[in-house]
Amino acid sequence: MRPTGTTLGIVAITVAVATVANAQGPAIAPELAKAVASSSRTPANVARDRYRHPAQTLAFFGVKPTDTVVELIPGGGWYTEILAPYLGARGTYYAAGGWTKGLDAIKQLQAGNPAAYGKVKLAAFPAANGEPIVPAGSADVVLTFRNIHNLRFAGVDRTQAAFAEMFRMLKPGGTLGIVEHRLPEGRPATAEEKSGYMKVSSVVRFAKQAGFQVAAMSEINANPKDTADYPEGVWTLPPTYQLKDKDRAKYAAIGESDRMTIRFLKPKR
């Protein structure tokens, strides 16, 4: 698919808004800085902060310690190690994923450290009939990190349904924060079906069709060394190194993927 005028317009807006976001720089609250610096975090996870910028990212999304926050498809719990302690005293943290095996890693965290993770609430996403869900209109913030491509692998219709579910969870005026591997706009749309990368224009389109508005974009998680054209897609890069030792030094020098960081808003009315 060739870039359209609409697509090119989205790209131009992305650059302009990202420049403003970077110039201002998100303020990092002491409580957030403390959660990121916690000694309870897994050392291997801490080592990836230079690529994932958790304090800056959560500050950009405006996550407050009193918020009700839903993290979708939390995987191994990389952000759970930060969000659960950060929200534990005054907020609420939901981990929402495939019911129930998709949340096994979170359950292990809960079993291993009940003091830190005992208050984490579990919910299904995407949810089937009868599975526990995040109550409608209950979340201040919904977050998902490097997961939109996984939804896209299930097809366009299911991806759109997932965005509708995100919209349902949020309070009016609530925030949807997305970090995703970024595919250059000029690449064929079919690359989104297998590479692990998504175009900004595609993510924005899904969100807008669900009712969201684009609030801001940031280059916090950008990596200009990433060309997004590898033999095994994004998994060629660290931390996966899908090619094992083949050209490992080359891919290590590139680092983790180039990522879009977008803050969407659910309109107040």
Side-chain angles (χ1 to χ4, degrees):
M1 181 178 72
R2 294 181 180 178
T4 64
T6 300
T7 297
L8 293 174
I10 290 172
V11 175
I13 292 170
T14 300
V15 173
V17 176
T19 301
V20 172
N22 279 346
Q24 294 174 344
I28 299 171
E31 288 173 280
L32 177 56
K34 180 180 178 180
V36 172
S38 173
S39 61
S40 65
R41 293 183 64 205
T42 305
N45 288 345
V46 174
R48 296 180 63 201
D49 283 3
R50 63 182 176 133
Y51 297 118
R52 301 194 66 175
H53 313 104
Q56 296 91 332
T57 299
L58 294 175
F60 174 71
F61 290 144
V63 180
K64 300 185 295 294
T66 54
D67 282 344
T68 293
V69 177
V70 181
E71 184 186 359
L72 305 176
I73 318 177
W78 198 95
Y79 262 101
T80 305
E81 290 189 346
I82 297 169
L83 287 167
Y86 180 55
L87 299 164
R90 297 187 288 155
T92 301
Y93 171 67
Y94 281 90
W99 196 259
T100 61
K101 289 187 178 298
L103 296 170
D104 281 354
I106 309 304
K107 294 176 187 176
Q108 290 175 8
L109 287 174
Q110 290 179 312
N113 190 346
Y117 305 108
K119 292 183 179 180
V120 174
K121 296 186 177 183
L122 305 181
F125 178 84
N129 289 338
E131 294 177 342
I133 61 174
V134 176
S138 64
D140 297 290
V141 182
V142 171
L143 302 171
T144 191
F145 303 96
R146 300 153 49 249
N147 285 311
I148 303 301
H149 64 278
N150 291 318
L151 298 174
R152 179 65 183 83
F153 291 164
V156 171
D157 290 345
R158 289 192 177 184
T159 307
Q160 195 61 64
F163 272 85
E165 179 67 4
M166 299 175 205
F167 193 87
R168 183 199 65 81
M169 295 175 186
L170 281 165
K171 299 174 182 177
T175 293
L176 169 63
I178 291 178
V179 176
E180 178 56 272
H181 311 296
R182 179 163 48 190
L183 184 70
E185 291 292 328
R187 299 285 174 82
T190 52
E192 295 182 334
E193 299 172 3
K194 58 184 179 180
S195 69
Y197 291 90
M198 294 287 297
K199 296 182 182 183
V200 169
S201 59
S202 297
V203 175
V204 168
R205 184 168 57 251
F206 281 122
K208 285 188 171 182
Q209 287 179 357
F212 288 104
Q213 299 172 348
V214 177
M217 301 186 187
S218 174
E219 293 296 281
I220 292 169
N221 296 299
N223 179 1
K225 295 180 181 179
D226 178 14
T227 56
D229 57 355
Y230 310 111
E232 296 295 330
V234 72
W235 302 280
T236 307
L237 297 176
T240 306
Y241 289 112
Q242 192 68 33
L243 296 178
K244 308 293 185 185
D245 291 331
K246 182 179 179 182
D247 294 326
R248 190 180 184 95
K250 178 178 108 174
Y251 296 123
I254 293 170
E256 295 194 19
S257 68
D258 175 52
R259 294 161 190 167
M260 66 183 86
T261 305
I262 311 178
R263 185 170 75 240
F264 295 97
L265 176 71
K266 179 177 179 175
K268 291 185 177 181
R269 57 173 71 180

